[in-house]
Amino acid sequence: MRTPRRAARLRSPAMVLCALVATCALLPPTAHPPQVTRVRADTVLDGAFTGYAERDRSPGHWTGGDSTYSVPAPKGELWVFSDTFLGTVRPDGSRSPVTGRGSTPFVHNSFVLWNSTGPHTVTGRDAAGRPTSLVSGSGPDDWYWARAGIPGRGGVQVVYAHYARTGPGPLDMAWRGSALGRFGPGGGPGPGPLTPLPSSAGVSWGAWLSREGGHTYVYGTERAPGLGNHLHLARVAGSDLRGPWQFWTGRGGWSPDEHRSARLSGPDGAALRTSDELSVVRHGAWYVLCTQRVDLPFSAEVQLAWSRTPDGPFTRPRTVFTAPEAGPGGTYRNRNVFAYNPHEHPELERRDELVVSYNVNSLVPDDVIHHADIYRPRFLRMTLGHTRP
């Protein structure tokens, strides 16, 4: 077959190159999601929290916590923690015990406000002036763990998950519902009465919060059979989470009925499985979900998945980092040490990067008493590179 004259002309290398350049110029540069090209420890953030925990000798200050959400508040960067150790760290790197003759207070939620004068621990106080959780339950077997926070009405709004103990074992507990706490511009004073949030469909809301246009989007997790969680999405008009909620139905629309909330999906249409804490942040034309690998128990892998819209579908989660602290081959050489709950801190990022934290803990409680540095967040900076089709 004869080659048409126009095609024959393109056999010139220069013409081929020009044609390819012209074609690529017409294609959207974001046809594929960004790729992580480099992951490195954020030694500045790691060092800041280590320094505060270990070198500050004032009693009752933060020495470790998990969850590690962050909110750009009017009076500084507000770090939101769940279970928190207070007190001081001994010169040998250990904590005093929490009970008995120990001098290490333990609370279920706290803040660290970081401003121009440095870090400041924010907790509640009981009648005797001793530190307590900012949001307290009705007794020792009833507590609140922090979820995500967001600025609102000159202060900060934080979602809390209500839990209660159901038996003597360390995992004998049950989720009871979601509630909203509202705080001042620096995380205080206390939240006052909590506002109950939708909780009738078994979804723990507040795993992540974000603003998009005229709405605040609220991600929630539903415990899945076996391992992991199903991901849900709701929204509120404006910035006040006390307003009427709408729930993504999975059919291109929203409903005021929480029981119609749909599970967000992956690339094959099946329900996505995620960790309990996560993030969904917009980067240009893409939304990146940061989660933990959940098909393996106590996996130390941080994974990313991408979507064109906040409601998915998301690409298959891909591992971009494995926490070096976890497991018998990790930095602590301790099979009981594990990593969990990664999520992003977009207000701390530069262009084309992610700032991600994850928590480290041990299945043996004494480990985090003898080695205070186990129970502390770690931070990563991930560089993004954009690919063309």
Side-chain angles (χ1 to χ4, degrees):
M1 178 183 297
R2 291 188 56 172
T3 301
R5 183 172 298 178
R6 182 174 298 176
R9 289 176 181 171
L10 288 178
R11 288 187 175 186
S12 162
M15 293 295 291
V16 170
L17 179 60
C18 289
L20 287 173
V21 170
T23 302
C24 289
L26 296 175
L27 293 172
T30 55
H32 296 289
Q35 301 291 316
V36 174
T37 59
R38 183 187 180 196
V39 180
R40 65 193 187 280
D42 190 323
T43 55
V44 173
L45 282 171
D46 285 346
F49 277 98
T50 296
Y52 182 47
E54 297 184 357
R55 292 190 286 274
D56 191 316
R57 310 313 298 172
S58 59
H61 81 288
W62 180 98
T63 65
D66 67 357
S67 284
T68 321
Y69 288 101
S70 62
V71 186
K75 290 191 175 180
E77 184 78 358
L78 192 69
W79 295 91
V80 180
F81 294 98
S82 290
D83 284 347
T84 303
F85 287 103
L86 305 170
T88 58
V89 175
R90 293 165 165 169
D92 66 357
S94 68
R95 294 183 171 95
S96 171
V98 175
T99 58
R101 292 180 143 189
S103 57
T104 296
F106 176 83
V107 297
H108 285 299
N109 50 76
S110 70
F111 295 152
V112 172
L113 176 66
W114 214 296
N115 57 24
S116 59
T117 62
H120 309 272
T121 300
V122 183
T123 65
R125 295 283 171 178
D126 65 12
R130 294 169 299 204
T132 62
S133 301
L134 277 163
V135 178
S136 297
S138 59
D141 294 330
D142 187 90
W143 67 91
Y144 288 87
W145 278 331
R147 305 287 267 171
I150 199 166
R153 293 183 173 271
V156 173
Q157 302 173 92
V158 179
V159 178
Y160 288 89
H162 184 196
Y163 279 84
R165 188 161 300 287
T166 58
L171 299 180
D172 293 338
M173 64 186 75
W175 173 82
R176 298 303 192 199
S178 300
L180 178 68
R182 293 179 295 129
F183 301 86
L194 296 175
T195 302
L197 295 178
S199 302
S200 64
V203 178
S204 178
W205 297 102
W208 190 253
L209 302 170
S210 65
R211 294 264 164 77
E212 187 79 22
H215 290 89
T216 300
Y217 285 84
V218 186
Y219 289 87
T221 51
E222 170 203 1
R223 180 64 64 187
L227 299 173
N229 300 266
H230 297 306
L231 190 59
H232 292 252
L233 179 62
R235 71 180 185 183
V236 180
S239 60
D240 192 339
L241 292 177
R242 295 173 297 172
W245 284 40
Q246 294 180 314
F247 304 91
W248 176 249
T249 64
R251 300 180 181 275
W254 300 86
S255 170
D257 182 0
E258 186 186 9
H259 290 272
R260 294 189 60 194
S261 176
R263 297 165 178 170
L264 303 191
S265 65
D268 55 0
L272 197 67
R273 293 209 178 199
T274 70
S275 48
D276 183 52
E277 290 187 14
L278 46 86
S279 58
V280 182
V281 177
R282 185 172 184 174
H283 289 264
W286 292 90
Y287 295 80
V288 59
L289 164 67
C290 180
T291 182
Q292 178 182 3
R293 182 175 179 177
V294 296
D295 61 330
L296 295 176
F298 297 106
S299 170
E301 297 178 37
V302 177
Q303 295 191 322
L304 301 182
W306 299 83
S307 173
R308 287 289 200 176
T309 62
D311 51 82
F314 288 87
T315 63
R316 184 166 286 103
R318 303 289 186 184
T319 297
V320 295
F321 177 80
T322 301
E325 298 85 1
T331 53
Y332 292 98
R333 299 295 188 265
N334 186 334
R335 63 186 178 88
N336 296 306
V337 172
F338 64 97
Y340 60 114
N341 285 347
H343 40 68
E344 193 177 343
H345 304 272
E347 74 278 5
L348 304 180
E349 296 169 353
R350 297 183 286 264
R351 182 183 175 93
D352 292 331
E353 74 171 5
L354 310 182
V355 173
V356 172
S357 67
Y358 63 94
N359 301 132
V360 181
N361 205 338
S362 176
L363 298 172
V364 177
D366 280 349
D367 285 344
V368 300
I369 298 298
H370 299 318
H371 303 280
D373 62 334
I374 291 177
Y375 193 67
R376 203 169 291 156
R378 272 66 167 181
F379 295 90
L380 306 169
R381 286 193 181 265
M382 301 182 181
T383 303
L384 297 179
H386 294 273
T387 59
R388 287 182 178 272

